[in-house]
Amino acid sequence: MKDKVRRGGGKNQAKNDATILTHGKGAAGNKPDEDTSFPVKIQGAGVESFELQVHGFWLVQDVIMTLLSKDEVCPRSSLSLALAGAALDPHTELQSFKGLKPGAILRLVEEPYTAHSVRVHLARVLELLRAFGPQDALREGRSPSILETLTHTQTPELLDGKSLKQSLSNTKTELVSQDGAPPEYLLPGSSERLLTALLPHSSQPEAPRYLRDLSLSCWNPPPGHRKLQGDFLYITVVTMEGRRCDITSCPKGFFHNRSTEELFDFRPVQSSPVCHCFTDLLCHISPAFKQTFTTIKTRHILPPVEVLPTPYHTLSWLGPPCVSRIHKNTFSRLGVDEQPASQAPDWNEELQAARDLPQGSLEERLRREKALLQVNSAFVRAVMQGAETVIDGLLEPVNGNPADPAFLWGGLFMSQCGASALFGGERGRRAVQRLELKGVQAYSDLEGIQGLHTLPTAIVDYKGVRLSAQGLAPGLEGSEQDQETPTRGLLYGVNARPQESAHRRQLLELLAYTAKALSLQRTVVVGPNSSNQTSLFTSVDAKGLLGADGRYYILDVFRSFPADANFCPEAEEETVAGEDEKKKSSEKAKRKKGCEKRGWPENYQTDSGLPQSFPHSLCRLRPEMVQAFIQHKHTQFALHVKDTLDKNGGFEECATACDSRATNAVRDACRKVGSISDIIFEMRFNPNVFSSGVSFPASENASVKLQEKLLREAAALIITHQIPAFVDYCLKSNEAPVDGVTLKQALHHRGINLRYLGHVIKAISKSEHKERLRHIMRLVIGEIFIRSTKRVFNSFLQGVDVPSLSTAISHFLCCLLVPHFTPTPAVEESKKKSRRRGRGAGTSESMPWSTLTGPDLWNLVCQDAAETYNISDSLGSGPNHLVEHYGLQKLSLLREFCLKTGIQLRLKDYILDNQNKAPIGPDDVLNIFPVVKHIHMPTVDASKAYRAALTSIEKGLLDQAYERLKEAAYLFGRVCDDLHPEAGYCNSLLAKVAFTQGKAAEARSIQLKAVVISERVLGFDHPNTIQQYALLATYLYAGGEINLAQKCLLRARLLMLTVHGEDHPYTATLDSCLGLVLTGDPAGQFLKNALRLYTSFFGPTSVHTALTQHLLAQWMCSQGDYRSAMTHEKEALTAFTSLFGKDHTQTLCSTEFLCTITKQAVKVERTLRQTGAESTEQTVECLTPTTETILEQMVLVTGIRKIGHSDRLQEYKQKHQELKAAVRKEVESEMNREKSTDQETGCEKEVKNGENPAVESKTEGQQEQPVEESSVESATVVSANGHVVEPTECEDKTEIGGCDSEDSDKAAEAKIVNGETENKAEAEESETSAPTGVKSSTANGEMKSEAKVDEMKSGSDEINGATNGDLDITATPPVLKRTWAEIVA
């Protein structure tokens, strides 16, 4: 397994190096000068001499891994390198060898095989002989890449008869017909959904057959006396000539022995050589193999990103259409992939050893992150295999508890975490497993902490059962005597014995540091004995132990996050008691004061119906919500300080005075917002408040009451702020969530748990724009329906025996999707099948699951939805209600259900509206795969470079952003072989920046990789894949590949129709692009449909609608219909005028285009009057847009660039130059008066870093020149009809570099610190709603806290913005702040 991972890393290493050599310096900013590449010559081991580019920082083993992936060397293995006859140490860097210079000769040396390495070599040979394709990925349940099949074209001359017949039989599923028109099922208004078109047949020719059979010999394993002489394996080969040969593997290689089926003879055949490579011996034995083997060098080679295995399993819910044809595996009987059970790895030791790797240099950090990813991905694969082994009944439990069986398999400890009535039974048990994983993730993500460890953890759902898998904790392996010693074992927790030791003190220091990082408050709880009080830095369940390996571990962290007071029984009980008290009082003021005192807003309980009970008692706030609440409290803190200072003379007076007014203002604000400190703003939360089974001593009453109030305020913020903000985002964005996965991401990004889906429905229902939010309502209803169905399905599967699984699953799906489905009794069906097979009458008893009907299932789902999400009649009486009332597609529901449960269906077109026949049969259920949730390993340096690029884009420094994105892409490739979601986002953004800078060809190649990454890592039908296809179509069109651009857009529309349907804003985006790249009537159909969708979602005066009106007018001009074109262009002009004003460039361009249409219409009308109606076709002249105009419009439609909201760049430049001159004069006079060297150095440094664009020094021209060039030339925003719209001063908040007029006023402030004037430009690095100008010179800790909160929020916003595709590249010079004039004055 490790050898496979290393082999893949070597291949990707060579790919990354080639990328760096192609693009120049790559990550030159992070690599030292000695890390430049140079060529060396490779010879020996029977390969032809060739050159290889290497880097000085490479280890020798990295060079070997790279060589093993080369075509000249593959499939050879067990090789070493020698320089001038001296062997090279594999763990030594190349730059340490003095004789290794450019052009040096490195010789490959064949090393003797071991019992393990010979199996690795055979696995490499099999990997070479196999031809993996999309069908193989589907068979294994992995998401395939369709891009290569979509873009690769075959000529009929190259197709054999079978392939030609197959291609002719699939013309219906082709995206573009012979005449260039799209198929009917992709046209607007079509209700036909073809699943067979989602996964087209691969255009690659079938792989040739090299051998008839390859397997272990019947004489294997070698007898004892042959083992002593070095025999490892005996292999039987049947060549294409029909010759049977037995082969012996030994330390020197392979040779042909004299054994037959009846006689064992270990002696080699007289003419047989001993070959170090297995394929060399096969070429000697079989001429047919030798002839066919030479074709491997000429066959089409896929890029590494399509070949390398993904770190984690990405489920494909569709399988191959015909399993019987692809199930045969010629080489499966060789058994080289099987590992003995005795080689169970110690997952915890491997993970901790990877974490303990050095992190001093960039190269060391990259190796550490790569090792962590490799270990975690191997751990997740083992968890999947272990879950199948355990749940399929192939393993006996190690304990005697049938209610909570525990299993040991492959170094894993797997259990169900027995259900506890304290947490809510089965629902509570699953919540414990899920929250434990989140807690482990939180502690693992803490940067800068060394010494505190967590176990490798994952949870897996398989066949309705959820298992928790962990590595074995070393502290639990010692004997009882070892556990009694205070130097090892349990050192921390409510059940830990009171003890004092250096180990315990060190552990407490680590826990105190993590508590600060996680915003957890130190608290005291009463132990189980009622007299023992324990001080905790964590939740009450957490345990800290010192393992046998000398490392500190923290376990049971499932309650590490604060409780959600909206769903806490304790909060509800206190509220009820409070209501009883209010009934005794008739004064309204007292009721309001009591409500605010407890933390709930006024009338909150009446309006929201919260707090309420929940099926389990483990409802916790998400970490995103905790950070949002801290930011909210910081805003309140700043307002309190500002108000207090204003009452006492203002900020400047209080800051410069030597009294306590500023300090008192900070203290008062800290007390009001609930800060744990009275001198700095610091918010912490008690995770044990509102937790079942936890009691506090009387000394903690005041603190607990304050924490209860804070948690109520945080819970109320979800309803009053976070959900309305989410609804407002969906109302304005055309890239709103498309399916359940993106809906979940959007909600979690704002800290909203999925248990609030019912409240999201209420918010949408109360909105005045309810109709414009119908796509979000559709998604929320569908998500509620699928999640409730999944819980019913988990219980349903527990009563199904193994032979009936496929039948039961198909029965459940039919009951779910077909209204009033009543299946044929199982007894009659089994009798029919048995008679056909001649096996008698079959079973006489029906299974319990077979009695389930459609209405029964629907009642169970509705009951679960009402209990969980507090909705009653929203789901209606059947699936048809969801289709008719909300516009949900049954196919979309089927896809969501399969992805959540791991079910894989056969690829075919299902007719889900047929009530007379079951649409899904037992043979259509191909498999059910484990669904794993695991820890995500960090990519620190790559993510930092990526975030730095986002910051550069916000500032308009596109050249700098381009270099940083290239660096981030290089680092992602080094760590994760590019197969990572963030690597896909990075490549997509890099393609955008490259395209914006005029590098269309480079953008195309990068975007091709981004599409493949999205297909393989996220899924072939993931919404992000749809967006990546649309962007790729733009770059393809820029390069003149119009047919491929059409295919990509039609592919994106096909995926969009399958995942969601036609009624979505992003469908309008795709239709607008299709209307631009297509010709004739289909283009008009797509544009009209886009206009209809945009009008219904955003109204007639939105930018999207106005732009589509212009595109439709442009198309009608190309058809000669000037009268209709004038109507649409008038609507566009009206919208542009209302949005931007009469003097905006876009409005002027629309006016000019309308005048052109009018003149042309008058000309045509005059011509018709003169020549008559008979010559209409000859006289009508058509206005056809140029290719450049169409490309510019596609850039606008896809959101690569956006139309600005103002056109005052020239005024901005003039004002900017005037202020620069004034500030320069002021600074020069200031510097002449002050001779301090420190101040001069600080000023120059400030100017150089670009933090204050008003101050200019000698280096200012060098720093500012690329800003102006990129803003004027590279990042101009184009208008709808090809005219250039210059970058604007203030744009919409969703754009990069955008700002509000109010925010621009507040973005810079003049602050007096220790008598010196300091400019502070806020909102450049992060976006905050706290009023600026409210700072205290005495509260240094508060400043640090604010910076920390802003930085955390900034990083989260940037990453999630890139994930959701919200980033729009609009390079703009730094926004001019009005406070500059005040500073100059």
Side-chain angles (χ1 to χ4, degrees):
M1 175 185 62
K2 294 181 182 178
D3 292 327
K4 290 184 180 180
V5 174
R6 291 291 300 171
R7 187 167 63 254
K11 183 183 296 184
N12 187 69
Q13 181 73 56
K15 170 180 65 69
N16 286 331
D17 299 331
T19 303
I20 294 304
L21 291 174
T22 302
H23 296 300
K25 296 181 180 180
N30 282 332
K31 292 189 296 183
D33 295 335
E34 61 269 24
D35 287 346
T36 56
S37 63
F38 59 92
V40 294
K41 198 171 185 179
I42 306 297
Q43 294 180 354
V47 300
E48 296 181 1
S49 178
F50 66 96
E51 282 194 355
L52 177 70
Q53 290 289 140
V54 297
H55 291 276
F57 63 87
W58 280 11
L59 300 178
V60 174
Q61 66 178 5
D62 293 331
V63 181
I64 296 176
M65 293 303 124
T66 304
L67 289 172
L68 294 181
S69 65
K70 290 292 185 180
D71 294 335
E72 295 87 348
V73 179
C74 189
R76 303 176 188 275
S77 62
S78 293
L79 301 174
S80 63
L81 287 175
L83 176 64
L88 303 183
D89 183 11
H91 302 287
T92 306
E93 292 185 352
L94 295 181
Q95 58 193 5
S96 63
F97 297 105
K98 297 181 180 180
L100 187 58
K101 301 177 180 179
I105 298 177
L106 294 179
R107 296 196 62 85
L108 288 171
V109 181
E110 296 176 344
E111 295 291 335
Y113 285 110
T114 63
H116 174 69
S117 62
V118 74
R119 289 179 174 269
V120 173
H121 177 75
L122 291 174
R124 285 176 54 83
V125 173
L126 297 187
E127 183 180 356
L128 181 66
L129 297 182
R130 291 170 179 166
F132 287 103
Q135 299 296 322
D136 298 282
L138 294 178
R139 179 171 54 86
E140 299 173 4
R142 295 181 286 109
S143 177
S145 175
I146 311 299
L147 180 61
E148 192 275 336
T149 302
L150 187 69
T151 57
H152 184 75
T153 58
Q154 273 186 305
T155 57
E157 294 81 5
L158 298 179
L159 291 174
D160 55 11
K162 183 176 180 181
S163 301
L164 182 60
K165 180 179 178 181
Q166 190 179 66
S167 63
L168 293 176
S169 62
N170 294 310
T171 55
K172 185 177 181 181
T173 60
E174 292 181 357
L175 294 179
V176 180
S177 60
Q178 299 296 331
D179 57 353
E184 294 184 0
Y185 63 87
L186 289 180
L187 292 177
S190 175
S191 59
E192 187 179 11
R193 302 288 183 262
L194 295 183
L195 284 181
T196 51
L198 286 178
L199 300 174
H201 291 281
S202 177
S203 58
Q204 295 298 326
E206 295 185 1
R209 294 189 61 186
Y210 302 95
L211 299 169
R212 289 189 180 182
D213 192 21
L214 179 63
S215 62
L216 291 177
S217 172
C218 60
W219 304 111
N220 200 70
H225 69 284
R226 291 307 305 168
K227 284 184 179 180
L228 297 178
Q229 299 187 36
D231 290 359
F232 294 138
L233 292 173
Y234 298 135
I235 306 166
T236 298
V237 175
V238 180
T239 66
M240 296 302 296
E241 296 89 352
R243 183 184 176 190
R244 181 186 182 277
C245 304
D246 275 28
I247 297 175
T248 300
S249 68
C250 63
K252 292 184 178 181
F254 304 86
F255 64 86
H256 181 193
N257 62 41
R258 300 184 182 184
S259 298
T260 63
E261 289 182 315
E262 295 81 13
L263 177 65
F264 173 69
D265 190 348
F266 57 85
R267 294 176 300 169
V269 176
Q270 186 174 3
S271 60
S272 174
V274 178
C275 300
H276 191 266
C277 184
F278 186 61
T279 56
D280 291 344
L281 180 61
L282 292 178
C283 291
H284 177 79
I285 294 175
S286 172
F289 178 87
K290 182 178 181 179
Q291 182 180 2
T292 311
F293 188 72
T294 56
T295 61
I296 292 182
K297 305 296 183 180
T298 59
R299 70 183 182 185
H300 179 68
I301 300 177
L302 297 175
V305 73
E306 295 192 38
V307 178
L308 294 178
T310 56
Y312 306 110
H313 187 275
T314 305
L315 177 67
S316 172
W317 67 284
L318 291 175
C322 185
V323 183
S324 59
R325 296 179 183 176
I326 67 171
H327 180 66
K328 183 180 179 181
N329 189 350
T330 307
F331 310 124
S332 62
R333 293 192 294 154
L334 196 57
V336 295
D337 295 330
E338 299 175 1
Q339 293 185 354
S342 59
Q343 295 183 357
D346 187 348
W347 294 111
N348 180 68
E349 178 59 31
E350 291 197 12
L351 180 65
Q352 308 311 335
R355 284 177 173 167
D356 293 340
L357 289 176
Q359 308 179 54
S361 64
L362 172 64
E363 193 64 28
E364 290 176 342
R365 291 194 298 272
L366 293 179
R367 291 173 186 168
R368 176 181 179 271
E369 292 175 358
K370 187 175 183 65
L372 283 172
L373 182 63
Q374 289 177 347
V375 171
N376 194 55
S377 61
F379 171 76
V380 171
R381 287 194 296 270
V383 169
M384 294 181 65
Q385 298 173 5
E388 294 181 356
T389 303
V390 169
I391 298 176
D392 289 342
L394 304 178
L395 192 67
E396 293 294 330
V398 296
N399 61 350
N401 184 7
D404 183 22
F407 303 88
L408 288 176
W409 183 89
L412 300 173
F413 178 78
M414 310 186 75
S415 68
Q416 298 186 41
C417 297
S420 173
L422 181 65
F423 299 140
E426 175 67 16
R427 295 285 296 272
R429 179 184 63 79
R430 288 177 174 261
V432 168
Q433 295 171 309
R434 173 175 50 83
L435 292 173
E436 177 70 18
L437 183 68
K438 290 175 57 180
V440 172
Q441 181 76 68
Y443 278 93
S444 301
D445 288 344
L446 296 179
E447 296 183 10
I449 180 173
Q450 298 290 336
L452 187 63
H453 299 265
T454 56
L455 297 177
T457 306
I459 57 177
V460 54
D461 293 300
Y462 181 60
K463 293 183 179 179
V465 179
R466 171 169 289 184
L467 291 177
S468 178
Q470 285 185 326
L472 300 179
L476 303 180
E477 297 175 356
S479 62
E480 294 181 0
Q481 295 179 357
D482 293 334
Q483 295 296 328
E484 291 177 0
T485 60
T487 60
R488 206 178 81 189
L490 187 63
L491 300 180
Y492 171 84
V494 292
N495 295 321
R497 300 190 307 271
Q499 54 179 289
E500 286 297 332
S501 64
H503 295 295
R504 175 178 169 81
R505 288 192 295 271
Q506 186 176 0
L507 177 59
L508 292 179
E509 290 178 0
L510 293 172
L511 293 176
Y513 179 87
T514 58
K516 182 177 181 180
L518 295 175
S519 301
L520 299 181
Q521 183 187 30
R522 182 179 181 179
T523 184
V524 179
V525 299
V526 178
N529 299 328
S530 300
S531 59
N532 182 23
Q533 297 184 5
T534 306
S535 178
L536 298 176
F537 293 99
T538 61
S539 61
V540 69
D541 312 281
K543 301 177 182 64
L545 59 90
L546 177 62
D549 55 358
R551 299 187 180 100
Y552 296 103
Y553 293 88
I554 182 170
L555 309 176
D556 298 337
V557 291
F558 57 90
R559 284 201 280 193
S560 295
F561 299 104
D564 187 352
N566 283 329
F567 295 94
C568 286
E570 291 83 356
E572 185 179 8
E573 291 174 2
E574 294 187 11
T575 302
V576 172
E579 290 179 354
D580 294 338
E581 295 176 0
K582 286 189 291 182
K583 291 180 180 179
K584 300 177 182 179
S585 176
S586 58
E587 298 181 1
K588 183 178 180 180
K590 289 185 178 181
R591 292 199 303 267
K592 178 179 178 181
K593 184 177 180 180
C595 187
E596 293 178 351
K597 186 177 181 180
R598 291 195 307 273
W600 300 118
E602 184 181 1
N603 299 326
Y604 175 76
Q605 298 150 0
T606 304
D607 297 338
S608 64
L610 296 173
Q612 67 182 33
S613 61
F614 199 72
H616 65 77
S617 60
L618 286 173
C619 297
R620 322 300 286 186
L621 296 176
R622 293 191 59 81
E624 298 90 345
M625 186 61 224
V626 174
Q627 294 303 321
F629 181 67
I630 292 176
Q631 183 67 28
H632 172 72
K633 299 300 287 186
H634 181 265
T635 303
Q636 293 182 349
F637 170 82
L639 286 174
H640 287 311
V641 173
K642 181 178 183 300
D643 293 341
T644 305
L645 293 180
D646 289 343
K647 294 178 182 178
N648 294 318
F651 169 75
E652 294 184 1
E653 180 180 344
C654 295
T656 55
C658 297
D659 53 21
S660 61
R661 285 180 294 176
T663 304
N664 293 335
V666 173
R667 291 180 182 273
D668 184 63
C670 289
R671 180 182 55 81
K672 289 182 178 179
V673 300
S675 172
I676 65 169
S677 173
D678 60 348
I679 59 174
I680 61 173
F681 174 82
E682 185 176 7
M683 299 299 299
R684 294 202 187 185
F685 304 93
N686 188 343
N688 301 310
V689 173
F690 294 140
S691 296
S692 303
V694 180
S695 57
F696 302 91
S699 58
E700 295 288 317
N701 285 341
S703 176
V704 170
K705 291 296 182 182
L706 175 60
Q707 287 292 317
E708 289 177 351
K709 179 182 178 181
L710 289 177
L711 292 183
R712 291 190 182 101
E713 291 180 1
L717 192 68
I718 300 177
I719 301 296
T720 59
H721 184 269
Q722 299 300 101
I723 292 181
F726 166 75
V727 173
D728 185 64
Y729 159 76
C730 296
L731 195 63
K732 297 178 180 179
S733 175
N734 67 326
E735 296 178 351
V738 175
D739 66 345
V741 174
T742 49
L743 174 67
K744 176 183 174 182
Q745 290 177 349
L747 290 173
H748 284 177
H749 173 53
R750 288 163 178 80
I752 306 172
N753 298 84
L754 292 181
R755 57 178 169 268
Y756 286 96
L757 287 176
H759 295 275
V760 175
I761 291 179
K762 294 179 181 178
I764 296 176
S765 302
K766 295 178 181 179
S767 174
E768 59 181 359
H769 305 291
K770 177 182 178 181
E771 182 62 22
R772 292 170 53 186
L773 293 167
R774 61 185 183 276
H775 58 301
I776 305 300
M777 176 70 82
R778 183 183 306 123
L779 285 177
V780 175
I781 289 293
E783 189 69 8
I784 289 176
F785 171 73
I786 292 299
R787 289 187 170 272
S788 296
T789 302
K790 177 186 174 183
R791 284 186 282 269
V792 176
F793 178 72
N794 292 336
S795 302
F796 170 81
L797 282 185
Q798 305 314 307
V800 180
D801 53 352
V802 175
S804 305
L805 269 176
S806 61
T807 306
I809 292 174
S810 62
H811 173 81
F812 185 91
L813 292 176
C814 291
C815 292
L816 182 68
L817 300 174
V818 179
H820 310 294
F821 178 76
T822 304
T824 305
V827 176
E828 297 181 7
E829 189 67 22
S830 61
K831 287 181 179 179
K832 292 179 182 179
K833 292 184 178 180
S834 299
R835 293 192 190 103
R836 289 196 298 265
R837 299 171 182 171
R839 296 182 182 178
T843 181
S844 59
E845 296 182 1
S846 61
M847 301 297 179
W849 56 263
S850 62
T851 60
L852 181 69
T853 62
D856 295 338
L857 175 59
W858 200 264
N859 291 335
L860 293 174
V861 172
C862 292
Q863 180 180 354
D864 182 273
E867 294 176 356
T868 306
Y869 306 103
N870 195 23
I871 60 173
S872 54
D873 300 332
S874 298
L875 297 182
S877 58
N880 287 348
H881 175 80
L882 301 180
V883 175
E884 297 169 359
H885 191 70
Y886 299 105
L888 274 165
Q889 293 185 142
K890 292 183 180 180
L891 184 61
S892 301
L893 295 176
L894 179 63
R895 170 186 174 270
E896 291 281 353
F897 180 78
C898 291
L899 289 176
K900 283 182 171 59
T901 56
I903 295 175
Q904 187 185 53
L905 299 179
R906 185 187 305 276
L907 177 63
K908 76 174 201 179
D909 298 323
Y910 295 97
I911 304 175
L912 301 178
D913 295 328
N914 189 353
Q915 301 184 14
N916 299 323
K917 183 181 179 180
I920 303 174
D923 294 336
D924 295 326
V925 182
L926 298 183
N927 208 341
I928 181 168
F929 292 95
V931 179
V932 184
K933 297 179 180 178
H934 55 84
I935 300 298
H936 296 279
M937 291 301 166
T939 53
V940 179
D941 291 283
S943 298
K944 285 183 179 178
Y946 181 54
R947 288 194 295 268
L950 296 179
T951 304
S952 299
I953 292 176
E954 291 179 359
K955 296 180 179 179
L957 306 174
L958 288 190
D959 290 336
Q960 188 180 91
Y962 175 75
E963 293 300 327
R964 288 179 173 176
L965 285 172
K966 285 177 59 179
E967 176 185 341
Y970 167 80
L971 296 176
F972 277 122
R974 288 288 306 276
V975 174
C976 57
D977 297 340
D978 288 323
L979 296 174
H980 191 277
E982 285 193 21
Y985 306 143
C986 177
N987 279 278
S988 178
L989 187 58
L990 177 59
K992 282 185 179 181
V993 175
F995 182 80
T996 306
Q997 292 186 317
K999 306 172 184 177
E1002 182 180 350
R1004 174 193 180 276
S1005 62
I1006 298 173
Q1007 187 62 28
L1008 285 171
K1009 181 191 293 186
V1011 172
V1012 175
I1013 294 173
S1014 182
E1015 285 184 324
R1016 299 197 62 209
V1017 175
L1018 298 176
F1020 71 91
D1021 56 350
H1022 191 275
N1024 182 73
T1025 305
I1026 301 175
Q1027 295 183 8
Q1028 300 306 323
Y1029 265 111
L1031 294 174
L1032 176 61
T1034 305
Y1035 309 145
L1036 290 173
Y1037 191 89
E1041 301 174 90
I1042 300 178
N1043 291 334
L1044 282 182
Q1046 294 176 2
K1047 286 185 178 182
C1048 290
L1049 286 173
L1050 291 174
R1051 171 75 181 171
R1053 194 175 204 277
L1054 172 65
L1055 295 175
M1056 191 71 192
L1057 293 178
T1058 305
V1059 173
H1060 185 93
E1062 193 173 73
D1063 192 30
H1064 192 277
Y1066 199 73
T1067 307
T1069 300
L1070 298 176
D1071 287 354
S1072 297
C1073 292
L1074 283 168
L1076 289 170
V1077 300
L1078 294 175
T1079 58
D1081 293 337
Q1085 295 182 41
F1086 285 112
L1087 287 174
K1088 292 176 182 177
N1089 189 62
L1091 178 60
R1092 178 185 63 82
L1093 291 174
Y1094 274 141
T1095 305
S1096 62
F1097 283 112
F1098 302 111
T1101 58
S1102 70
V1103 176
H1104 307 290
T1105 307
L1107 182 58
T1108 310
Q1109 292 275 17
H1110 171 78
L1111 298 181
L1112 192 57
Q1114 178 179 277
W1115 174 80
M1116 289 180 173
C1117 287
S1118 66
Q1119 302 297 311
D1121 187 2
Y1122 294 105
R1123 187 177 298 276
S1124 301
M1126 289 174 59
T1127 303
H1128 287 287
E1129 191 60 35
K1130 287 179 180 178
E1131 295 290 337
L1133 179 59
T1134 303
F1136 286 136
T1137 304
S1138 63
L1139 289 171
F1140 309 127
K1142 296 181 180 180
D1143 298 330
H1144 190 271
T1145 306
Q1146 186 61 55
T1147 308
L1148 298 177
C1149 292
S1150 180
T1151 304
E1152 180 182 353
F1153 187 63
L1154 180 60
C1155 293
T1156 303
I1157 298 176
T1158 305
K1159 293 179 181 179
Q1160 190 70 10
V1162 172
K1163 181 179 179 181
V1164 171
E1165 186 69 22
R1166 184 183 300 113
T1167 304
L1168 290 177
R1169 291 179 181 178
Q1170 294 176 357
T1171 60
E1174 296 179 357
S1175 58
T1176 301
E1177 297 182 0
Q1178 288 76 14
T1179 57
V1180 173
E1181 298 181 4
C1182 300
L1183 295 177
T1184 304
T1186 62
T1187 304
E1188 292 75 10
T1189 299
I1190 294 177
L1191 177 61
E1192 292 170 351
Q1193 292 165 349
M1194 287 185 67
V1195 170
L1196 284 179
V1197 170
T1198 54
I1200 299 176
R1201 296 172 183 158
K1202 282 193 174 182
I1203 302 175
H1205 284 255
S1206 65
D1207 191 22
R1208 296 174 295 175
L1209 183 62
Q1210 298 301 326
E1211 292 84 350
Y1212 164 77
K1213 285 184 177 181
Q1214 183 178 359
K1215 186 176 181 181
H1216 179 62
Q1217 296 296 335
E1218 293 175 356
L1219 285 177
K1220 276 194 347 181
V1223 172
R1224 184 188 303 112
K1225 183 180 297 185
E1226 179 71 19
V1227 170
E1228 289 176 354
S1229 60
E1230 181 82 15
M1231 294 177 63
N1232 291 332
R1233 290 192 304 266
E1234 300 179 3
K1235 300 299 183 179
S1236 175
T1237 306
D1238 295 336
Q1239 291 183 358
E1240 292 177 359
T1241 305
C1243 182
E1244 291 175 356
K1245 182 178 179 181
E1246 184 179 12
V1247 173
K1248 183 177 180 181
N1249 294 335
E1251 295 178 356
N1252 187 356
V1255 183
E1256 182 179 79
S1257 66
K1258 295 181 181 180
T1259 61
E1260 181 178 359
Q1262 302 174 1
Q1263 180 74 14
E1264 193 172 16
Q1265 184 176 0
V1267 179
E1268 296 179 355
E1269 290 178 357
S1270 63
S1271 63
V1272 177
E1273 298 176 4
S1274 301
T1276 52
V1277 184
V1278 294
S1279 65
N1281 52 352
H1283 295 272
V1284 175
V1285 181
E1286 295 174 335
T1288 60
E1289 181 180 7
C1290 290
E1291 300 192 6
D1292 188 73
K1293 286 185 178 181
T1294 60
E1295 300 184 31
I1296 293 181
C1299 65
D1300 253 346
S1301 59
E1302 296 180 1
D1303 291 340
S1304 64
D1305 296 341
K1306 299 177 182 179
E1309 63 171 322
K1311 182 176 65 171
I1312 306 299
V1313 180
N1314 299 328
E1316 297 178 5
T1317 303
E1318 177 182 353
N1319 274 331
K1320 181 177 179 182
E1322 292 188 359
E1324 287 184 357
E1325 299 293 335
S1326 62
E1327 179 180 336
T1328 176
S1329 58
T1332 58
V1334 184
K1335 301 288 176 273
S1336 173
S1337 60
T1338 61
N1340 297 327
E1342 183 269 331
M1343 301 299 181
K1344 296 180 181 179
S1345 176
E1346 179 201 16
K1348 176 181 176 182
V1349 173
D1350 291 348
E1351 182 181 356
M1352 297 172 65
K1353 185 175 185 295
S1354 173
S1356 176
D1357 291 345
E1358 289 167 348
I1359 292 178
N1360 287 278
T1363 301
N1364 297 330
D1366 294 336
L1367 296 180
D1368 306 310
I1369 301 175
T1370 306
T1372 308
V1375 180
L1376 188 63
K1377 312 298 190 304
R1378 287 187 228 172
T1379 51
W1380 291 355
E1382 299 173 1
I1383 296 172
V1384 174

